[in-house]
Amino acid sequence: MNSKSKGDCVEKSSTGNQFNDSENRKLAQLSEFVVNNKGTKMTTNQGVKVSDDEQSLKAGVRGPTLLEDFHLREKITHFDHERIPERVVHARGYAAHGEFELYKCMKKYTSAKFLQEDGKKTPIFIRYSNVVGSKGSVDTARDVRGFAIKFYTEEGNYDLVGNNIPVFFIQDAVKFPDLVHAIKPEPHNEIPQAASAHDTFWDFVATNQESAHMVMWLMSDRAIPTNFRKMDGFGVHTFRLVNDDGIAHFVKFHWKPLLGVHSLVWDEAQKIAGKDADFQRRDLWESIEHGNFVEYELGVQMIPEDKEFMFNFDILDATKLWPEEIVPVQKIGKLTLNRNVTNVFAETEQVAFHPGNVVPGIDFTNDPLLQGRLFSYLDTQLLRLGGPNFTEIPINRAVCPFHNNQRDGFSRQRIDEGQVSYHNNSLANNTPSTTSVEKGGFGHYAEKVEGRVIKARSDSFADHFSQARLFWNSMSPPEKQHIIEAFNFEVGKVNSRNVRQQIVDMFVNVDKGMATTIAEAVGVNPPTGEQVNVSASSPALSMEKTVYVPQTLKVGILIGSGFDGVEVREVVRSLRNQGVTVDVIGERLGTLIGKDGAKIIVNQTFETTAPVLHDSLYVVGGNADNQMKFNRDIIYYINESFMHYKPIGFAMSGMPYLRQSNAMVGPGIITASGNGEFSKAFLEAIAKQRFWKRNIYN
Ligand code: HDE
């Protein structure tokens, strides 16, 4: 009899979980390592008090520096070694702490302890990242975002190392170095940084057509998310959930943001890159600092083992998704990010994720992309984090005890007592001892595997275009238009006409109209092939029907002195009541006085911020010292926001600016009517975020 409880799911306990302090465990563990240097005496790393940190030791005030200055040597040497290799991919990342709360017990499907008890909380650490750019690149590049989560469970660390796009470029891990070499800056001139718009990437795509589906996602708005808080996350691969009885289900993991999935406009994304390269990390940091905790729901799609072959795609192929209309997503828990990191290097940079970090009840499948990843991550950490002891770095430590006979190596922290470091032994009563699978030891799923050793790919992986077409069919008209514009930009940057032609010829398989339009824009012959015959769509793939709420959106109030205090106060109050953030943008920082004596504090100037850094504008206007510049700045802000389909509200006093700008009364342009309905209408428009039906070219 299995010693694990085979009864019903555990009821939610009064404390919310069995581990009373489980959500605090990681925090408590990390706290032991946190050092506060404020108010302390400066010492060397040996603890010797430093008497002078301004001058090196010299032979005479103008003489040579002396080697015996151990403080100087130690300080410079440590500085020389401050950097570690950046990640070969996903170098630019940003992270936060949080907790995962299980909605409903998953005992029927998995024995993973953190998925057993309704309401159970588990501490987590998340790192978001951009795949291509270097550590110092920009946030808003067109790129896949990494979405890596470490669950510090009572049975050890479980890492769900996913992306914000549910499929991948390639089917087999052996091709990963080729993909990455092709998409990274070209080796002969290291150009372009953090961009896929160049010859080698598109040459790779044309000659490796399994990438078609992922490239459609990359050209879509999904690759320019507004911020980390408003994008989906996906485990991408098919994993296995295994229950106490050894019954397995194939599973795909989804993270769904409670604020909905929203994206930037490409022109906006490029401008933000210049105005605020840290746009997305700043957003995450500020949201958490302001108590706007970030929330996602965890969803699972599950397929019983015996239904593996019931689909018109191979469920082991990472270039395929499971349409939600066919395999529904069940929401099983909520992730809340509620604490920023204390130190970016110690946590965000040193965290080491590995898809091979699983706990009993979660297992792998034979997805050949996943299989290669199982090798890669540990390997890369050994170099990046300087040896095999990186699991002892505070952010990587499990919160449960860990014991084994692994010893020594660079930067070993723990001091293992005793003479025994081998198994089997009698001197320590054969401890650390193993745990049977029945009692909670990890047991690999006993899948039956048969086959000849062969370097080949299954025929069931051969269809590269049906799901790319499914994706295209599922897009709304503006989403389709954005995909075409993205291709026009990206392929238009390719110097080789031959590659441009190959791309157009390749994507005719997805949609002939789309490929023909792209061909015209990038100066090649119209494609002659035919698209695949797929008429199905998956409405869940479109972002159109996402969640629309005003909370945490940012409105810029464009204002000068002499404003109408009553009008402005009422609007600001309504916005803030709905959790909208307000920036007051004026000619200079400081206090402005309204015509009725009202005061408002300007916290941004037209120079310190930009229209692309706001979700909406409220145009009040007023008086300024340099009225011409002030008026011109306001018109510029309106025109940019109008071009990016954003809602703009106009106070009565702001109406003249509407007439002088390119904006026209129409979708998302809310004007004060004086009947008290303005704030309501403006808030509704803010929540909607973009007005794609707006004609921006008139
Ligand atoms: Fe990764 N990937 N990857 N990857 N990956 C890395 O590990 C690799 C793949 C993903 O925030 C590296 O520590 C191979 C798919 C994320 O620290 C490296 C293959 C998915 C992160 C590596 C893939 C991912 C990485 C680089 C093909 C989505 C950042 C530094 C078989 C499911 C984690 C490092 C963080 C990082 C290898 C494909 C997600 C080199 C060989 C598919 C989110 O080990």
Side-chain angles (χ1 to χ4, degrees):
M1 167 77 180
N2 189 333
S3 73
K4 286 183 214 163
S5 154
K6 283 203 163 187
D8 292 337
C9 289
V10 186
E11 287 291 308
K12 182 172 180 160
S13 62
S14 54
T15 56
N17 54 59
Q18 290 166 319
F19 248 152
N20 287 353
D21 61 343
S22 94
E23 68 268 45
N24 294 323
R25 281 196 152 215
K26 191 64 198 174
L27 178 58
Q29 190 191 48
L30 287 173
S31 303
E32 286 176 27
F33 295 89
V34 174
V35 175
N36 186 344
N37 294 309
K38 204 169 168 186
T40 58
K41 292 282 185 196
M42 182 186 290
T43 68
T44 65
N45 286 331
Q46 307 303 326
V48 174
K49 290 200 179 73
V50 175
S51 61
D52 187 330
D53 193 36
E54 304 302 311
Q55 332 289 340
S56 46
L57 188 69
K58 302 179 202 77
V61 286
R62 300 183 64 250
T65 301
L66 300 178
L67 265 182
E68 65 198 74
D69 187 349
F70 56 83
H71 165 57
L72 166 76
R73 278 190 286 118
E74 183 192 85
K75 185 175 172 183
I76 297 278
T77 307
H78 196 280
F79 169 76
D80 292 344
H81 296 264
E82 275 179 6
R83 291 291 168 272
I84 62 173
E86 69 172 38
R87 290 163 172 82
V88 56
V89 282
H90 297 268
R92 185 170 178 81
Y94 213 63
H97 294 271
E99 64 184 23
F100 172 72
E101 181 173 2
L102 186 70
Y103 289 155
K104 59 171 194 180
C105 165
M106 294 293 289
K107 191 177 181 62
K108 189 172 162 203
Y109 303 103
T110 175
S111 51
K113 283 222 169 114
F114 78 108
L115 299 176
Q116 299 297 294
E117 185 188 343
D118 296 2
K120 185 175 178 76
K121 290 179 177 170
T122 303
I124 68 96
F125 187 68
I126 185 166
R127 184 174 180 273
Y128 304 99
S129 49
N130 286 13
V131 176
V132 179
S134 298
K135 198 167 174 295
S137 58
V138 299
D139 279 356
T140 55
R142 177 176 293 283
D143 198 354
V144 183
R145 299 297 183 286
F147 201 111
I149 299 188
K150 195 179 279 294
F151 295 81
Y152 300 99
T153 89
E154 64 198 83
E155 293 178 295
N157 291 347
Y158 167 53
D159 292 355
L160 184 49
V161 195
N163 281 341
N164 76 325
I165 290 180
V167 290
F168 203 63
F169 294 100
I170 48 170
Q171 297 171 320
D172 190 312
V174 73
K175 298 185 69 67
F176 191 63
D178 303 301
L179 163 72
V180 175
H181 289 171
I183 200 169
K184 282 269 187 181
E186 298 189 9
H188 63 301
N189 57 10
E190 260 241 323
I191 297 174
Q193 177 60 238
S196 47
H198 58 107
D199 284 49
T200 54
F201 174 65
W202 288 97
D203 187 31
F204 178 89
V205 170
T207 52
N208 296 272
Q209 302 208 348
E210 68 206 69
S211 60
H213 187 192
M214 178 73 164
V215 169
M216 291 298 291
W217 282 80
L218 186 66
M219 293 303 103
S220 80
D221 294 342
R222 298 285 185 144
I224 41 172
T226 304
N227 50 50
F228 302 133
R229 299 180 296 126
K230 295 184 183 168
M231 61 186 199
D232 281 336
F234 300 93
V236 177
H237 304 283
T238 299
F239 291 91
R240 267 196 179 90
L241 291 181
V242 188
N243 71 10
D244 288 349
D245 298 321
I247 309 291
H249 282 76
F250 294 107
V251 63
K252 287 231 192 244
F253 295 106
H254 297 243
W255 294 106
K256 305 228 179 218
L258 263 56
L259 294 178
V261 186
H262 297 276
S263 289
L264 298 168
V265 171
W266 180 226
D267 177 65
E268 191 187 16
Q270 293 174 84
K271 286 173 176 159
I272 293 174
K275 293 285 183 186
D276 185 2
D278 303 314
F279 183 70
Q280 289 170 338
R281 53 176 60 190
R282 191 187 306 284
D283 170 84
L284 183 68
W285 172 269
E286 287 182 351
S287 297
I288 294 175
E289 287 298 292
H290 296 158
N292 292 325
F293 296 155
V294 185
E295 295 172 316
Y296 305 86
E297 287 188 302
L298 176 63
V300 288
Q301 287 177 294
M302 287 185 291
I303 297 179
E305 287 270 309
D306 58 358
K307 303 272 187 307
E308 178 174 2
F309 300 107
M310 296 207 31
F311 303 90
N312 62 359
F313 51 85
D314 193 323
I315 66 166
L316 299 185
D317 176 356
T319 67
K320 305 295 185 299
L321 50 81
W322 303 353
E324 291 184 28
E325 294 77 12
I326 300 176
V327 187
V329 176
Q330 302 178 37
K331 309 263 180 68
I332 66 163
K334 192 168 88 174
L335 179 72
T336 306
L337 308 183
N338 53 18
R339 192 162 63 82
N340 278 314
V341 297
T342 304
N343 181 287
V344 172
F345 179 83
E347 297 167 87
T348 312
E349 197 56 18
Q350 293 202 111
V351 68
F353 292 98
H354 179 13
N357 289 346
V358 288
V359 289
I362 302 180
D363 213 322
F364 317 115
T365 62
N366 294 329
D367 168 351
L369 192 69
L370 173 60
Q371 298 275 320
R373 291 181 75 201
L374 298 180
F375 164 76
S376 178
Y377 289 68
L378 176 56
D379 180 44
T380 201
Q381 318 300 0
L382 292 174
L383 174 70
R384 198 170 66 77
L385 298 170
N389 289 319
F390 63 86
T391 48
E392 293 186 49
I393 295 172
I395 195 66
N396 295 323
R397 280 176 194 236
V399 291
C400 58
F402 48 103
H403 299 281
N404 53 48
N405 292 313
Q406 294 163 33
R407 292 288 186 273
D408 309 345
F410 281 113
S411 305
R412 185 71 167 171
Q413 310 284 306
R414 60 194 274 160
I415 302 171
D416 294 290
E417 282 185 321
Q419 63 191 129
V420 173
S421 56
Y422 52 88
H423 189 257
N424 294 325
N425 67 68
S426 63
L427 293 178
N429 202 18
N430 214 13
T431 59
S433 56
T434 54
T435 308
S436 68
V437 173
E438 291 69 33
K439 291 199 168 147
F442 190 93
H444 291 269
Y445 180 65
E447 183 182 10
K448 185 166 182 234
V449 183
E450 250 177 7
R452 290 187 186 278
V453 172
I454 185 168
K455 263 198 177 266
R457 211 171 290 184
S458 165
D459 290 344
S460 54
F461 280 45
D463 172 8
H464 305 324
F465 293 102
S466 293
Q467 285 211 348
R469 172 79 193 175
L470 178 89
F471 181 72
W472 174 256
N473 289 347
S474 312
M475 296 291 100
S476 65
E479 287 172 314
K480 284 186 172 169
Q481 184 57 30
H482 298 165
I483 291 174
I484 291 176
E485 288 167 6
F487 269 107
N488 291 351
F489 175 94
E490 296 260 326
V491 184
K493 292 245 178 198
V494 170
N495 293 320
S496 162
R497 187 179 190 281
N498 187 18
V499 171
R500 297 202 301 274
Q501 185 67 59
Q502 288 182 62
I503 289 295
V504 165
D505 293 343
M506 169 178 169
F507 281 90
V508 75
N509 289 299
V510 177
D511 186 77
K512 188 155 191 172
M514 176 189 85
T516 308
T517 313
I518 299 166
E520 278 167 21
V522 304
V524 298
N525 299 331
T528 51
E530 290 302 326
Q531 66 199 34
V532 288
N533 184 14
V534 174
S535 59
S537 69
S538 167
L541 298 179
S542 168
M543 293 163 56
E544 197 179 32
K545 296 204 174 58
T546 190
V547 177
Y548 295 95
V549 287
Q551 281 77 37
T552 78
L553 291 168
K554 198 185 246 182
V555 175
I557 303 186
L558 310 182
I559 193 166
S561 58
F563 59 90
D564 175 349
V566 177
E567 185 181 44
V568 172
R569 202 177 303 124
E570 201 281 317
V571 174
V572 171
R573 192 186 48 77
S574 309
L575 296 181
R576 289 207 170 121
N577 277 349
Q578 289 301 311
V580 173
T581 307
V582 171
D583 261 352
V584 182
I585 306 169
E587 187 180 34
R588 66 175 68 95
L589 299 179
T591 306
L592 285 176
I593 313 281
K595 64 182 174 206
D596 45 5
K599 289 183 181 166
I600 195 163
I601 296 174
V602 175
N603 68 319
Q604 295 281 3
T605 68
F606 293 103
E607 284 74 34
T608 59
T609 188
V612 289
L613 304 180
H614 293 88
D615 299 294
S616 172
L617 298 178
Y618 176 43
V619 184
V620 179
N623 306 318
D625 288 348
N626 187 343
Q627 193 72 41
M628 262 177 64
K629 178 177 179 305
F630 178 79
N631 292 347
R632 199 192 59 210
D633 285 339
I634 291 185
I635 301 288
Y636 163 72
Y637 269 61
I638 296 172
N639 288 345
E640 282 283 293
S641 300
F642 184 75
M643 280 284 293
H644 297 144
Y645 306 92
K646 292 175 180 171
I648 310 176
F650 288 86
M652 296 290 232
S653 52
M655 291 301 284
Y657 294 104
L658 172 58
R659 289 188 282 275
Q660 290 165 49
S661 70
N662 300 336
M664 280 176 314
V665 175
I669 302 297
I670 315 298
T671 54
S673 49
N675 65 7
E677 290 294 297
F678 173 78
S679 293
K680 186 165 168 277
F682 189 33
L683 266 164
E684 279 169 14
I686 291 170
K688 206 152 182 268
Q689 305 181 39
R690 307 275 180 183
F691 292 84
W692 302 119
K693 293 215 168 89
R694 175 182 292 169
N695 184 353
I696 60 169
Y697 297 111
N698 260 344

